[in-house]
Amino acid sequence: MGESESLLRARATPESRSLGKLLGCARTPRRGLSGAGPGSSSCGGARCRPGASQRGASGVRARLVPSRAMLPWTALGLALSLALARSDAELGPPASAPQGDLLFLLDSSASVSHYEFSRVREFLGQLAAPLPLGPGALRASLVHVSSQPHTEFPFGQHSSGAAVQDAIRSAAQLMGDTNTGSALAYAKEQLFAEAAGARPGVPKVLVWVTDGGSSDPIGPPMQELKDLGVTVFIVSTGRGNLLALSAAASAPVEKHLHFVDVDDLSIIAPELRSSILDALQPQQLRVSEVTSIGFRLAWPPLLSVDSGYYVLELVRRAESGTARRQQLPGNATGWAWADLDPDTDYSVALVPESNVHPVRPQHLRVRTLPAEEAGPQRIVISHVRPRSLRVSWAPALGPAAALGYQVQFGPLRGGAAQRVDVPAGSNSTALQGLAPGTAYLVTVTAAFRSGRERAMSAKACTPDSERSRAPRPPPPPGPGGPGR
């Protein structure tokens, strides 16, 4: 009886409190030495602990048992507690638990040695083992990169981190070409697309471990995955192209792109796992792909095409009343804001306009990244003379324009370097006092307000001061010339 009452009272509903009174166990305040404790249950002054032995005034030990009249109420309480527990189980995992689909993309081609493949396979297994995988919560899948993409196991096949770890460890290397672009397109169509059975409205994460090369383009299919809201983590074992992989990884790059030796993969496992779990946290309104000029929003389906529409509002926090608005259909689950100001706080509001029932608006605060500081580009050497030349470059434009430039030049074979300061409004200068017939290294450095610098170098060669010219051969004799 006491267990039924405590379960019902834990629900804090009026019905359960009334039922507790009917059971004869009401909450009473402290009353002297013989009263029950604060907030305790009492039955005629005795503390009500089911099955516990109590001593009366005479010292005789008595066991409290429910009376025959209370048995129906006891059965009712147990039935209600079981029903409430069953309803909790039907609700699924708690809202704060990671939910979503996690895809491991494993380079299984012949460009990876058997040793490297085994090390990467072990790393992915260690990465997955502690993850809270389970039905209706976090799911994992593994796809091989080879001549043709191959699914080692799909989402939902394994329901625990240990099972996923065992499946990864048993994966065999396929060899073949490194057609990563084909594997990315395959992942989009066969695993992440709703038409292929993907769960709508849950976070999606791709972890791609690569030796850095690909036999086919990865840019377009990777962007299509990002457009679906997929967060992309890339682990390169050290031979990848920095610019290409930076463009492929989600922003900010320093959080989503790792360069590490294959024998040191375990070092980044805790940090990478934490970042993956952060990306898989279920949130109503989420932000990703934050850059200096924009970001992407995603949210689970709250409406349908027939039940209403969304209104997105974007406001600079420093300027009230200047909101940008975008209306979207009820089946939309994402939107990308662009043409924003760098290093600026924005307030975002998602307002579902439902014609069925009220849906609460959701709010988010996002800060764009500082402006990218692009250094000088396309150095051009012109007007080359034995003792002078002119150097020009494409200036750094935009919000992060350079404060000024420094041009340093010196002989490649050693010698004192000289420096020329150039104001921000100029992108060209003449270098004087050079030595004839000498190769020079010319470096143009842009200085920015943040204190950082960006530089670019080029080689220039001055000609000899006296050019030796071979004598021209005499012109061939004409028709009326000598010898005729």
Side-chain angles (χ1 to χ4, degrees), residues 1 4 23 65-78:
M1 176 181 66
S4 302
L23 289 173
V65 297
S67 65
R68 191 172 297 174
M70 293 181 182
L71 288 177
W73 292 107
T74 303
L76 176 60
L78 290 174

Side-chain angles (χ1 to χ4, degrees), residues 91-423:
L91 290 176
S96 59
Q99 301 178 31
D101 294 334
L102 171 61
L103 174 63
F104 295 111
L105 194 63
L106 175 61
D107 191 344
S108 188
S109 66
S111 67
V112 180
S113 69
H114 292 294
Y115 173 77
E116 290 175 326
F117 182 82
S118 64
R119 297 299 297 167
V120 171
R121 186 176 54 187
E122 183 66 22
F123 164 70
L124 290 181
Q126 294 175 353
L127 195 65
L131 295 177
L133 286 91
L138 177 58
R139 309 186 305 177
S141 175
L142 175 66
V143 169
H144 291 267
V145 174
S146 184
S147 298
Q148 297 294 329
H150 171 70
T151 301
E152 182 71 24
F153 55 86
F155 291 126
Q157 178 171 328
H158 301 294
S159 58
S160 69
V164 170
Q165 183 182 34
D166 291 340
I168 293 175
R169 284 175 170 174
S170 63
Q173 187 172 2
L174 301 182
M175 308 304 286
D177 294 330
T178 314
N179 292 331
T180 309
S182 298
L184 293 172
Y186 172 86
K188 172 182 176 292
E189 298 297 333
Q190 302 297 325
L191 294 169
F192 281 132
E194 293 183 19
R199 296 179 294 174
V202 300
K204 298 175 177 61
V205 170
L206 169 68
V207 177
W208 173 31
V209 184
T210 175
D211 67 348
S214 178
S215 303
D216 57 351
I218 66 170
M222 187 68 85
Q223 188 58 50
E224 291 180 3
L225 285 175
K226 292 180 182 179
D227 292 340
L228 286 179
V230 178
T231 302
V232 179
F233 292 90
I234 300 177
V235 178
S236 175
T237 53
R239 296 191 298 272
N241 183 294
L242 175 61
L243 294 179
L245 294 180
S246 297
S250 292
V253 174
E254 57 269 18
K255 182 179 179 181
H256 296 88
L257 175 59
H258 299 267
F259 281 87
V260 61
D261 188 83
V262 71
D263 290 319
D264 297 326
L265 284 168
S266 59
I267 297 176
I268 67 168
E271 177 186 354
L272 179 58
R273 188 185 302 114
S274 176
S275 299
I276 292 172
L277 290 175
D278 288 343
L280 290 168
Q281 285 296 328
Q283 302 177 20
Q284 293 297 307
L285 182 59
R286 299 182 295 113
V287 63
S288 62
E289 300 294 317
V290 180
T291 67
S292 60
I293 59 172
F295 52 82
R296 183 178 296 277
L297 298 171
W299 57 89
L302 305 174
L303 305 172
S304 65
V305 177
D306 300 325
S307 66
Y309 60 92
Y310 297 99
V311 175
L312 270 176
E313 296 182 352
L314 179 72
V315 183
R316 289 185 54 159
R317 293 178 61 85
E319 300 176 8
S320 58
T322 57
R324 292 172 57 179
R325 290 180 174 86
Q326 181 68 38
Q327 182 173 318
L328 300 171
N331 61 346
T333 57
W335 177 257
W337 288 110
D339 299 325
L340 306 183
D341 294 329
D343 202 20
T344 303
D345 287 320
Y346 286 91
S347 294
V348 181
L350 175 67
V351 184
E353 299 287 355
S354 173
N355 52 31
V356 178
H357 55 80
V359 181
R360 181 177 301 177
Q362 301 174 34
H363 301 272
L364 196 64
R365 176 181 172 180
V366 184
R367 186 177 185 87
T368 52
L369 299 180
E372 298 178 359
E373 298 169 341
Q377 303 290 327
R378 299 187 303 275
I379 291 181
V380 176
I381 305 295
S382 62
H383 299 83
V384 180
R385 301 288 186 270
R387 297 187 178 277
S388 67
L389 59 83
R390 176 167 290 276
V391 56
S392 306
W393 59 91
L397 303 176
L403 298 178
Y405 301 93
Q406 293 178 356
V407 180
Q408 292 181 310
F409 58 99
L412 277 174
R413 299 197 173 204
Q418 303 179 56
R419 190 182 81 178
V420 176
D421 293 325
V422 181

